[in-house]
Amino acid sequence: MAKVVVINGTPSLVSRINAVIEHAESRLSEQGLEVARINVAELPAEDLIHTRFESEDIVKANGLVAEADAVVVVSPVYKASYTGVLKTFLDLIPQKGLAGKIALPLFMGGSLAHLLTIDYALKPVLSVLGARHILGGVYAVDSQVTRTDQGTVELAEELQLRLNAVLDELAEETKLKAERKRAE
C-alpha cells in the first residue's frame, strides 16, 4: 500500500488548520493510501533546537518520512513564511530525504497577501531536500476555515473543492509511483 506522511508544522495543536489536515487525511485514506502524521510541535523542543539527529523521536519521525511515497507539508503562514517549528524539523531531514517523493504543500494565512509563500519560502527548501515532484499546493485563507457555535470547524465549500482536487491528484500520482516501484 502506498504511504503518505503529513508533516504538521503548526505550533498549536488546537489550530483551525487541523481541520484541513483531518480533511486531507480522510480523503487520502478513502483513496486507499496509508496515512501517518508527524506533529512537529509534539517533538522534543530541545531535539529540534539543538538539531539532535540521533534523538529517538527525530529518528522515528525521519523514519516515517523515509518510508513515505509522498509528503504533505502543512503550515500556517507567520511573517510571510512557514512556521519556525516546521523549519527546525525540515533542517533535521537528511539532505536528500525527500528524493523520489511527491510533495504537497497546504498553507493557511490571514489574507491572500501571502499566497506566494508556498512558492517562494517552502518549495526551494523541499527542492534542496531532493523533492522533484512538488504539486501546486493549496493556500487557504483564515475566513475559509471557521469555528461553529457547536465547537466544530467547517471548511468553506470552495476550499473543500480545491483540496479534493489536489488530494485526488496526489493519491493518483502516489499510487502510480508505488506501482512502478513494485514493478522494478
Side-chain angles (χ1 to χ4, degrees):
M1 177 181 294
K3 296 180 181 181
V4 177
V5 65
V6 175
I7 301 173
N8 176 8
T10 308
S12 170
L13 297 178
V14 295
S15 171
R16 287 178 295 141
I17 204 169
N18 288 319
V20 173
I21 293 169
E22 290 165 7
H23 180 88
E25 290 172 336
S26 175
R27 186 78 177 193
L28 294 171
S29 293
E30 288 170 7
Q31 298 279 344
L33 299 173
E34 182 180 326
V35 182
R37 185 192 309 183
I38 299 167
N39 290 315
V40 179
E42 292 179 335
L43 295 172
E46 285 204 7
D47 293 346
L48 292 167
I49 296 299
H50 296 290
T51 57
R52 293 187 178 140
F53 290 92
E54 73 288 345
S55 155
E56 183 180 331
D57 292 306
I58 299 302
V59 168
K60 181 179 176 187
N62 278 335
L64 290 173
V65 173
E67 293 172 3
D69 299 293
V71 295
V72 178
V73 182
V74 184
S75 180
V77 174
Y78 290 173
K79 306 213 189 281
S81 189
Y82 51 87
T83 63
V85 71
L86 177 59
K87 176 65 168 126
T88 60
F89 179 68
L90 293 175
D91 286 345
L92 287 163
I93 293 176
Q95 184 64 36
K96 293 298 177 187
L98 299 183
K101 298 184 188 319
I102 301 165
L104 171 64
L106 301 178
F107 276 28
M108 189 166 85
S111 73
L112 288 176
H114 299 293
L115 174 66
L116 294 176
T117 300
I118 290 173
D119 292 326
Y120 291 109
L122 183 66
K123 284 185 178 181
V125 175
L126 297 178
S127 181
V128 165
L129 290 171
R132 295 294 175 260
H133 190 162
I134 305 169
L135 300 179
V138 171
Y139 180 89
V141 178
D142 286 346
S143 62
Q144 295 176 310
V145 183
T146 56
R147 292 193 193 279
T148 67
D149 293 336
Q150 295 77 28
T152 60
V153 179
E154 290 182 354
L155 304 179
E157 184 177 346
E158 187 270 337
L159 175 58
Q160 288 182 48
L161 292 172
R162 289 190 299 124
L163 284 169
N164 289 347
V166 76
L167 291 165
D168 291 351
E169 179 184 3
L170 176 68
E172 182 179 329
E173 294 292 329
T174 303
K175 288 177 191 175
L176 288 171
K177 179 185 177 304
E179 286 175 21
R180 283 191 302 266
K181 198 161 96 176
R182 278 194 301 273
E184 292 175 351

